[in-house]
């Protein structure tokens, strides 16, 4: 499969502040199939789009994000690691869906760890049912995915698998991915390129579990996606992935 979909990880974070409307709009402009975004809860239980626990990661504030209210976060500036002139702000999940809905797909990661997060996020997504066909929800936590499915049973959920520890062979990678996917009733697992082999892919698909790739940040990883027929890759280097895919299509 040469025509894998490309997900812009946190938007186009090489040019604009990650996880901001600016980064997501740039992904739309460049033709990404979807954007990956991270959802956390504020101190007043509002779902906002931000990756880190700590605000001092490229922001104008410091402290843990769960201690801040939405009103306080409105004053925080977010900076781009790679472009000092690009500045953005933190948005709520509804604001992102309203701004981009219908123009690009969404890969929404529930960061947790709050047990209330699936219901709060589900309440938001139930207001955007017209977008469900363009949304998938992910998490590293099976319990959060199970709880979310009770809120929005029509949205596919995928389990994120962390990078393997040094002692883990691919047999253990497969076994953990399989049974954690079963625990979470996930449609797919998201694996790192180093976790993939023909045996892993074949075995997971035998059990009805699809595979997506994260950290597809070099041509070797993209070639692996093609080799194993991975239908969707998530990348920090969208332009590279798009150029790679264009070359494949041209060569057909």
């Amino acid at each position: 499969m040469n025509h894998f979909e490309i997900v812009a990880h946190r938007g186009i974070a090489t040019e604009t502040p990650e996880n901001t409307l600016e980064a997501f709009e740039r992904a739309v402009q460049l033709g990404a199939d979807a954007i990956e975004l991270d959802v956390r809860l504020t101190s007043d239980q509002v779902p906002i789009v931000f990756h880190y626990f700590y605000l001092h990661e490229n922001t104008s504030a410091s402290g843990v994000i769960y201690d801040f209210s939405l009103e306080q976060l409105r004053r925080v500036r977010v900076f781009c690691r790679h472009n000092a002139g690009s500045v953005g702000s933190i948005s709520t999940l509804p604001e992102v869906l309203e701004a981009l809905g219908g123009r690009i797909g969404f890969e929404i990661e529930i960061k947790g760890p709050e047990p209330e997060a699936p219901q709060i996020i589900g309440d938001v997504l139930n207001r955007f049912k017209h977008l469900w066909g363009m949304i998938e929800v992910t998490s590293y936590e099976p319990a959060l995915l199970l709880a979310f499915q009770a809120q929005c049973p029509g949205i596919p959920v995928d389990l994120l698998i962390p990078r393997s520890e040094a002692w883990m062979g691919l047999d253990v990678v497969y076994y953990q991915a399989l049974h954690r996917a079963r625990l979470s009733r996930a449609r797919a697992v998201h694996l790192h390129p180093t976790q993939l082999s023909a045996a892993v892919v074949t075995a997971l698909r035998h059990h009805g579990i699809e595979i997506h790739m994260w950290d597809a940040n070099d041509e070797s990883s993209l070639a692996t996606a093609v080799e194993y027929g991975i239908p969707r890759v998530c990348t920090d280097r969208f332009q590279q992935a798009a150029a790679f895919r264009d070359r494949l299509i041209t060569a057909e």
Side-chain angles (χ1 to χ4, degrees):
M1 180 188 298
N2 292 342
H3 303 160
F4 52 73
E5 294 184 338
I6 305 174
V7 181
H9 186 228
R10 307 180 199 170
I12 307 299
T14 52
E15 301 177 13
T16 51
E18 63 183 47
N19 266 323
T20 63
L21 284 173
E22 291 81 3
F24 301 147
E25 288 287 358
R26 185 64 176 140
V28 172
Q29 293 170 6
L30 292 177
D33 296 293
I35 51 173
E36 187 272 347
L37 56 98
D38 305 287
V39 180
R40 292 194 179 276
L41 299 183
T42 64
S43 64
D44 46 349
Q45 303 285 278
V46 178
I48 52 94
V49 179
F50 195 78
H51 174 79
Y52 304 99
F53 271 117
Y54 287 103
L55 278 168
H56 58 241
E57 293 280 355
N58 298 300
T59 72
S60 61
S62 63
V64 287
I65 198 159
Y66 51 77
D67 281 345
F68 286 73
S69 68
L70 177 62
E71 181 180 357
Q72 291 171 315
L73 290 172
R74 293 294 192 196
R75 299 190 289 272
V76 174
R77 301 293 90 188
V78 183
F79 308 111
C80 179
R81 296 172 185 269
H82 309 285
N83 180 2
S86 183
V87 181
S89 58
I90 297 172
S91 296
T92 67
L93 177 59
E95 288 168 348
V96 171
L97 295 172
E98 287 167 1
L100 298 159
R103 296 194 287 145
I104 198 167
F106 299 92
E107 184 177 304
I108 300 171
E109 181 183 344
I110 303 176
K111 299 299 290 185
E114 307 90 349
E116 300 82 8
Q119 180 172 346
I120 291 170
I121 293 169
D123 287 344
V124 170
L125 294 181
N126 272 307
R127 291 161 28 205
F128 292 87
K129 285 190 174 182
H130 61 289
L131 299 179
W132 279 18
M134 303 178 72
I135 293 174
E136 66 180 50
V137 168
T138 68
S139 181
Y140 287 100
E141 299 295 337
L144 294 178
L145 292 180
L146 283 173
F148 175 79
Q149 287 171 79
Q151 302 297 317
C152 300
I155 297 179
V157 302
D158 292 357
L159 180 69
L160 304 174
I161 304 297
R163 191 189 296 265
S164 300
E165 298 180 47
W167 60 267
M168 292 176 65
L170 291 181
D171 49 356
V172 174
V173 170
Y174 154 72
Y175 194 77
Q176 283 205 337
L178 169 63
H179 293 295
R180 286 176 61 80
R182 292 178 63 214
L183 278 172
S184 55
R185 296 201 299 264
R187 171 195 65 172
V189 291
H190 292 206
L191 296 176
H192 189 268
T194 58
Q195 296 170 320
L196 291 171
S197 70
V200 168
V201 170
T202 299
L204 286 171
R205 287 178 174 157
H206 175 74
H207 289 280
I209 300 168
E210 187 51 83
I211 301 97
H212 295 179
M213 178 187 288
W214 64 273
D215 205 33
N217 288 335
D218 55 50
E219 294 210 352
S220 175
S221 299
L222 297 169
T224 297
V226 173
E227 179 181 359
Y228 297 133
I230 305 300
R232 176 175 275 211
V233 304
C234 187
T235 181
D236 297 297
R237 300 176 179 175
F238 173 79
Q239 291 95 327
Q240 178 189 59
F244 182 93
R245 183 174 65 179
D246 289 345
R247 291 199 301 273
L248 293 173
I249 294 171
T250 300
E252 289 181 345

